[in-house]
Amino acid sequence: MIKCHLSTLLGARKLKISDVVRDTGINRSTVNRLFHETNNRIDFDTLEKLCVYLECSVGELLELVSDDND
């Protein structure tokens, strides 16, 4: 499965979801779903905006982790 580290990155930078929404123009529900890891897909444009805004790489934002069922 893919793990999203948005909550960790925002916490380290002392940012809120509302800051991301205001500064990037990404829909609040999209940011909220990524923050709480309830999203099942992400648009490349959204991914790019988040990486540019947070000054991070895709690999820092998203991580492939093995499922416990495997």
Side-chain angles (χ1 to χ4, degrees), residues 6-69:
L6 182 60
S7 61
T8 304
L9 292 171
L10 292 185
R13 291 164 174 79
K14 297 183 181 173
L15 294 169
K16 300 178 195 171
I17 290 173
S18 58
D19 297 325
V20 177
V21 171
R22 181 190 63 238
D23 296 340
T24 64
I26 300 170
N27 186 292
R28 183 176 187 85
S29 62
T30 300
V31 177
N32 197 45
R33 285 192 309 269
L34 288 167
F35 184 89
H36 294 288
E37 296 188 69
T38 57
N39 221 25
N40 56 5
R41 63 180 168 262
I42 184 169
D43 186 69
F44 283 149
D45 185 50
T46 302
L47 188 59
E48 179 182 5
K49 285 180 183 178
L50 285 172
C51 288
V52 168
Y53 179 68
L54 296 170
E55 297 177 347
C56 69
S57 68
V58 174
E60 292 171 294
L61 183 61
L62 303 174
E63 177 186 9
L64 180 61
V65 294
S66 62
D67 289 331
D68 292 339
N69 299 336

